[in-house]
Amino acid sequence: NNLTTETNQNNQNSQNLQNIQNTLNTQNVQNTENIQDGKFGNSTVGTINYPEGWNVVSGNAGNQTAMMIASTSGESITLDLMPSQNGVNALKGTELMHSELKKQGFTDDDMSIYQGEINNYPAYMLSASVENGNRIMMIFIDAEGKVYYISIIAPSETIMNVLEIVNSSWSPK
């Protein structure tokens, strides 16, 4: 019975990721207003180097600040800012996301939490795997009195390359 439950949860996780990827595939639009001097993002959510061949994804699912880019091979990077709440920092944001993913059926075996830096800024990362070979990395960064949020979705074999784009170039400005 546990195996059936885990399979159902993994199928749901895969379906959630597939829904995200379908959204990316239907919303890819080149929108250069979010790209300045080879950088993607803005002073609200931070910036990264804009990878050649990627597309800006329009539509932010009702989120007023989120900005997303995607490659044609299904990789994506979303830049955002956590809502300001008393006591919320990068660690607390990571813990809140961990709890939310557990509610959605992810298990502790599916997820890992890391502490480190993104381009010399203190950060926490929550990494989760899904059945279809993709990984999701959710990064929370404490910088300039704010908590920035970056989401990366990519196949397991390319996720570290996408993380390097973020790690080598992210800035709160």
Side-chain angles (χ1 to χ4, degrees):
N1 196 12
N2 281 347
L3 183 58
T4 302
T5 303
E6 282 184 27
T7 301
N8 289 340
Q9 288 174 342
N10 284 338
N11 288 342
Q12 184 61 47
N13 293 346
S14 295
Q15 187 59 49
N16 290 344
L17 186 59
Q18 189 61 50
N19 290 343
I20 292 168
Q21 288 176 328
N22 288 342
T23 300
L24 292 177
N25 293 337
T26 59
Q27 292 185 345
N28 278 353
V29 178
Q30 185 66 38
N31 180 349
T32 57
E33 71 186 40
N34 296 319
I35 304 166
Q36 305 260 329
D37 301 321
K39 293 279 192 181
F40 170 74
N42 61 34
S43 60
T44 301
V45 298
T47 61
I48 58 169
N49 289 342
Y50 184 73
E52 188 175 325
W54 285 50
N55 295 304
V56 175
V57 178
S58 62
N60 53 16
N63 185 327
Q64 298 300 313
T65 56
M67 300 177 73
M68 180 186 289
I69 55 174
S71 72
T72 56
S73 57
E75 301 157 323
S76 70
I77 300 171
T78 302
L79 304 177
D80 203 356
L81 185 68
M82 286 207 47
S84 57
Q85 299 173 359
N86 289 338
V88 173
N89 58 18
L91 175 59
K92 184 67 174 170
T94 305
E95 291 169 345
L96 291 169
M97 183 62 74
H98 182 265
S99 295
E100 185 58 34
L101 289 178
K102 285 186 89 161
K103 290 178 192 172
Q104 293 181 23
F106 285 83
T107 67
D108 286 332
D109 290 339
D110 297 326
M111 299 182 282
S112 301
I113 295 176
Y114 305 95
Q115 180 180 4
E117 294 182 339
I118 293 293
N119 201 17
N120 298 316
Y121 291 93
Y124 286 87
M125 180 176 67
L126 174 60
S127 178
S129 61
V130 292
E131 189 176 73
N132 63 2
N134 282 315
R135 293 196 66 75
I136 303 170
M137 290 186 173
M138 292 150 277
I139 303 165
F140 299 85
I141 304 169
D142 287 318
E144 301 189 353
K146 300 176 186 173
V147 180
Y148 295 88
Y149 170 73
I150 302 170
S151 171
I152 299 171
I153 300 173
S156 294
E157 59 272 8
T158 63
I159 191 119
M160 296 309 289
N161 297 335
V162 180
L163 178 60
E164 184 54 30
I165 294 167
V166 172
N167 188 43
S168 65
S169 66
W170 183 84
S171 172
K173 299 178 181 21

